Amino acid sequence: MTTGLFIALEGGEGAGKSTQTERLRLHLESLGFEVVVTREPGGTPTAEKIRNILLDPSIHDMPDETEALLFAASRADHAENKIRPALARGAVVLCDRYIDSSVAYQGAARGLGIDRVRALSEWATRELHPDFTIYLDVPADASAERMEGTDRMEIQSADFHIRVQQAFRDIAAASTRPHIVVDATLSIEQVTSEILAALTPLLEKQ
Ligand code: TYD
């Protein structure tokens, strides 16, 4: 394997992205791939520091623009210092959230504009796009039920999370890049098997 495979997992809160990421990691490792599991915001020391600011529930006055820029700033560091080097080694990178999360949360739900927010992240990552995106689709009400945390993003209104969920559906429907939409209300095993069925042809090319 000379160039790796970059896979992003996207979806609203409580869609089961971490569970599926872990199951994919085990499966891919059993096939002999080097797997790098990472997440956004975060994934590098600098990006984790930015994450702490972004998710700090005691910050009540962060302008939406600051939020969008900080997500993009953490992504720039992550893409440069972790994802690109891993891909250059030939690893499979499993990334829990990436550019589409900014498009859904900041671009659509915050109303900053999907094109502008996407362009910001494309600039920040020098156009590093996933080879494949997995959208875990969960109804917004189910997402609210499965949401446990109390961070600055999770405590946004139910309406906000409904806009996020709809935005992910729109993004997936409009996407011209390789992707799959999986119904995250299916069993954990069914979701994994749908993902693996979609990934197998890509892995065979590696
Ligand atoms: P995290 O605890 O990682 O959430 P999850 O387990 O749902 O992935 O927190 C990340 C939060 O930040 C989550 O609410 C989604 C939000 N987010 C954005 O608003 N924009 C982004 O670009 C990214 C990557 C995440």
Side-chain angles (χ1 to χ4, degrees):
M1 196 149 111
T2 50
T3 56
L5 190 66
F6 180 15
I7 300 168
L9 285 94
E10 297 280 10
E13 322 282 329
K17 292 187 304 303
S18 347
T19 306
Q20 292 302 328
T21 302
E22 182 57 15
R23 291 171 66 84
L24 288 178
R25 179 181 73 75
L26 291 172
H27 182 83
L28 294 170
E29 284 179 352
S30 78
L31 296 176
F33 291 102
E34 180 197 348
V35 181
V36 172
V37 170
T38 190
R39 64 154 181 200
E40 292 203 350
T44 62
T46 300
E48 290 289 331
K49 288 187 180 177
I50 300 172
R51 175 186 175 92
N52 290 338
I53 301 171
L54 278 164
L55 300 186
D56 183 345
S58 74
I59 301 178
H60 299 291
D61 61 352
M62 188 184 291
D64 294 346
E65 290 78 2
T66 303
E67 182 182 293
L69 288 163
L70 287 176
F71 276 113
S74 70
R75 181 163 299 127
D77 195 76
H78 187 218
E80 181 63 21
N81 290 322
K82 188 162 185 182
I83 303 175
R84 281 188 199 278
L87 295 173
R89 289 198 304 275
V92 177
V93 175
L94 296 180
C95 189
D96 186 341
R97 300 193 179 279
Y98 193 60
I99 294 177
D100 287 339
S101 280
S102 283
V103 176
Y105 284 80
Q106 283 68 52
R110 293 285 192 218
L112 292 177
I114 59 174
D115 293 339
R116 180 183 284 163
V117 167
R118 190 192 305 282
L120 177 65
S121 272
E122 288 177 338
W123 173 78
T125 61
R126 288 181 288 114
E127 310 270 343
L128 179 63
H129 288 287
D131 297 300
F132 194 79
T133 301
I134 298 158
Y135 296 98
L136 293 181
D137 183 67
V138 59
D141 50 342
S143 157
E145 276 164 28
R146 290 159 83 168
M147 204 187 302
E148 285 161 5
T150 51
D151 72 46
R152 204 181 59 83
M153 300 305 294
E154 286 163 336
I155 59 179
Q156 300 297 318
S157 67
D159 264 14
F160 179 84
H161 291 287
I162 290 168
R163 290 201 295 277
V164 166
Q165 195 49 52
Q166 187 55 49
F168 275 121
R169 288 187 178 161
D170 296 344
I171 291 166
S175 173
T176 54
R177 298 179 187 279
H179 69 277
I180 183 179
V181 180
V182 185
D183 177 354
T185 63
L186 296 173
S187 72
I188 289 174
E189 291 76 18
Q190 277 174 301
V191 172
T192 309
S193 78
E194 286 201 17
I195 295 172
L196 287 177
L199 285 183
T200 301
L202 293 177
L203 295 168
E204 281 165 0
K205 285 192 209 144
Q206 292 294 315

